[in-house]
Amino acid sequence: MKLSTSDESAIVVAIAEILDEAKVSPSGRPLFAKGRDAATSIKPQIGSELHDRIADTCGELGLYDFVRHSLTRELLALDLKRGRRNLSSVEGYEDNLRTAKRLLEKLRESPQKIEVISPLPLSYSGILLNGVDELQLGDGVSIKSAEKAVGDLSREFASRNLRQNILRSVDLEKFPTVGTHFFCTWHTAFVGGFVGNPALQAHQDKLRSLHGCLLALGVVEEDFWFDRHSQYAILGADNSSSEGGSIVIADKVDTDLSYFYENFDVTLPFFKEPETSGDADHDDDGEANFEKEWALLDEDEKRLQKNTIEDVKKIFRKDDHSRKLITSSLWLFRSFVSSKSLDIILESTIALEVLLGDRNEASGIGLTKLLANRCAYLLGDSDESRRSLMEEFKSIYEIRSGIVHSGLHQTGSKASKASEGARDLAGRVLRKELDIAAG
């Protein structure tokens, strides 16, 4: 991180203030006298612009997050005897100013290149990703088989024992290393802690968009599939130039992703045995021969797998339309993991507005009418179907307007029906936009 001399001076003073009267907990973690309030008190000292730069790299609390995560790693590595103590009583931490200057050197080394990997649902591997070893979805976004993903991470960060580091945070038996696939993303950020890490949050947003895209395509549906294996993520950073070596951290993903893994499954329409038919070929014993029918199903599976993967790639491109697709996919995902009708309506209409909205063009005719027209002409194939779509759209937006502008908070049958309609429309519009996006 590039810092001016004045920036560095302000940072050293601010870090020293955070460390003032700091203690170490019995578990070996830093405890600051002002707690999280220190993040607010030091912001004027370093200035908003510098605070925001550090926050973008280290977490929303900026310099406070950086100090907390850095010291946590350092102190846990010391394997101190249990017991609460002053930080200044720990060897190497006697002088706050000297510690602050050393931490400044670490901040200069940030950001680092970070890989985040998390398992995809097991059902994805059995059907959608069958036979896939590595699939590049976009710049810095890929899907790898478990063997390749964990193997690559082990080789990349060979200075630390990957399995040992995972064991420190999660039960390894719940963290699959074979038979599944991993969603892998690369980021540039500071890695010091798992919770609130910008790289992890960016990874999970891309993961939400992937699931949202598959929901729109009809490849995934609610099926109460309990998949505990996919609730964890590994965050790894090459930090070999520093004393701590490379870093590997494992922990649970956010609760909405955990809910998704517990309740949704890949369900493709043609995955069923061929039906017995009087026209079926028979072998010498008179038994129906389904070889030809199974071959047709296999071809359908391969074709749908290929088409689905090509559609998913469209949301991870760098052009303006793809940015709309990935954002809409994320909000559609949120609508599927929400339990309240009014939340579903808001999230679904955001997904719609991302793809259909243009406030500049709406100034003359109104946003609702513009969106309703665009939705109707995108999905409708006749005057009657378009009129029906426009009426449905307007009824949904009437409730949305009540939520946003009048604080509507009570749900009923009308809101429940509107939430189902809103989510369905958002999925259909996204699917249509994926269909017409350039291949």
Side-chain angles (χ1 to χ4, degrees):
M1 181 179 291
K2 291 183 178 180
L3 299 168
S4 67
T5 304
S6 60
D7 286 343
E8 292 180 353
S9 299
I11 288 171
V12 167
V13 172
I15 293 177
E17 182 177 320
I18 294 173
L19 298 177
D20 187 39
E21 296 184 18
K23 299 185 182 299
V24 181
S25 74
S27 62
R29 298 176 184 274
L31 299 171
F32 302 115
K34 292 184 179 180
R36 292 167 65 94
D37 291 341
T40 305
S41 65
I42 64 172
K43 187 175 179 179
Q45 295 181 30
I46 63 174
S48 295
E49 189 273 335
L50 181 55
H51 167 83
D52 292 344
R53 281 175 55 202
I54 298 173
D56 288 342
T57 301
C58 303
E60 63 178 319
L61 296 181
L63 191 60
Y64 175 83
D65 272 345
F66 167 77
V67 173
R68 179 167 59 94
H69 292 318
S70 296
L71 284 184
T72 298
R73 284 194 59 237
E74 291 180 1
L75 293 170
L76 290 177
L78 292 177
D79 196 23
L80 298 170
K81 291 182 179 179
R82 298 186 69 85
R84 190 183 179 101
R85 72 200 71 200
N86 293 326
L87 177 64
S88 59
S89 69
V90 178
E91 185 178 355
Y93 296 86
E94 298 90 348
D95 188 306
N96 287 346
L97 200 58
R98 186 178 301 165
T99 302
K101 289 178 179 178
R102 181 172 52 77
L103 290 176
L104 173 65
E105 293 301 318
K106 284 193 172 186
L107 185 61
R108 283 202 194 103
E109 294 173 3
S110 296
Q112 302 152 320
K113 193 172 183 183
I114 297 173
E115 182 178 19
V116 186
I117 67 173
S118 52
L120 290 166
L122 295 175
S123 60
Y124 283 25
S125 298
I127 299 176
L128 180 63
L129 300 171
N130 185 27
V132 172
D133 186 45
E134 183 171 11
L135 175 66
Q136 199 70 29
L137 297 178
D139 186 20
V141 183
S142 63
I143 291 174
K144 299 178 185 178
S145 65
E147 295 84 350
K148 181 165 182 58
V150 178
D152 285 352
L153 195 66
S154 298
R155 286 188 290 274
E156 186 76 25
F157 310 113
S159 62
R160 295 288 291 271
N161 186 312
L162 175 67
R163 295 172 70 86
Q164 182 181 356
N165 277 274
I166 295 174
L167 277 169
R168 290 175 182 170
S169 300
V170 298
D171 181 356
L172 191 61
E173 291 181 0
K174 297 176 182 177
F175 202 95
T177 54
V178 294
T180 188
H181 285 79
F182 279 71
F183 183 68
C184 312
T185 57
W186 281 94
H187 310 269
T188 302
F190 163 76
V191 55
F194 196 86
V195 177
N197 187 284
L200 178 66
Q201 299 310 314
H203 171 88
Q204 292 188 120
D205 279 345
K206 286 184 171 66
L207 185 55
R208 291 179 179 101
S209 293
L210 169 68
H211 296 320
C213 179
L214 293 174
L215 285 163
L217 293 170
V219 176
V220 179
E221 68 179 21
E222 195 162 9
D223 197 29
F224 300 103
W225 165 272
F226 188 72
D227 183 1
R228 189 187 302 276
H229 285 182
S230 301
Q231 296 183 13
Y232 298 93
I234 300 175
L235 185 150
D238 185 2
N239 195 36
S240 53
S241 61
S242 299
E243 288 182 19
S246 298
I247 307 163
V248 178
I249 306 170
D251 209 337
K252 285 188 176 183
V253 295
D254 288 347
T255 53
D256 60 337
L257 286 164
S258 295
Y259 174 84
F260 177 82
Y261 294 140
E262 291 175 8
N263 292 279
F264 290 80
D265 186 17
V266 170
T267 306
L268 303 183
F270 52 76
F271 285 99
K272 58 180 183 291
E273 293 186 11
E275 296 178 3
T276 304
S277 165
D279 298 328
D281 294 333
H282 290 73
D283 59 24
D284 294 338
D285 297 326
E287 295 293 327
N289 187 342
F290 294 123
E291 201 170 298
K292 188 180 294 183
E293 285 86 341
W294 277 116
L296 288 173
L297 288 179
D298 288 342
E299 288 303 311
D300 282 345
E301 177 181 342
K302 291 174 184 176
R303 184 164 54 250
L304 184 56
Q305 181 192 52
K306 179 182 178 182
N307 292 341
T308 301
I309 288 171
E310 289 305 311
D311 279 337
V312 168
K313 286 181 178 179
K314 294 173 184 177
I315 73 172
F316 291 108
R317 295 173 186 160
K318 296 296 185 182
D319 58 85
D320 290 339
H321 189 232
S322 294
R323 278 188 279 272
K324 291 182 178 181
L325 291 174
I326 195 171
T327 303
S328 180
S329 297
L330 187 152
W331 283 102
L332 181 66
F333 168 84
R334 291 186 183 279
S335 76
F336 272 92
V337 295
S338 289
S339 59
K340 294 181 171 57
S341 298
L342 301 185
D343 291 340
I344 294 170
I345 290 171
L346 286 176
E347 289 151 351
S348 299
T349 52
I350 291 172
L352 284 166
E353 284 190 28
V354 168
L355 295 174
L356 303 175
D358 188 332
R359 293 192 177 274
N360 292 330
E361 292 187 24
S363 57
I365 61 173
L367 182 61
T368 302
K369 188 174 182 180
L370 175 70
L371 295 176
N373 273 293
R374 287 182 172 176
C375 181
Y377 279 86
L378 183 67
L379 302 179
D381 55 8
S382 66
D383 288 343
E384 183 179 352
S385 64
R386 287 169 185 155
R387 279 195 296 270
S388 176
L389 282 163
M390 289 182 71
E391 289 303 315
E392 181 181 11
F393 195 97
K394 288 176 181 177
S395 66
I396 291 168
Y397 259 70
E398 182 181 340
I399 297 177
R400 175 199 174 278
S401 179
I403 300 169
V404 174
H405 301 296
S406 303
L408 176 66
H409 60 279
Q410 293 180 328
T411 58
S413 58
K414 187 177 180 180
S416 178
K417 182 180 178 181
S419 68
E420 293 175 8
R423 189 161 58 191
D424 178 66
L425 279 182
R428 288 169 62 191
V429 168
L430 178 54
R431 185 163 61 246
K432 189 70 173 179
E433 290 288 339
L434 287 165
D435 286 343
I436 63 180

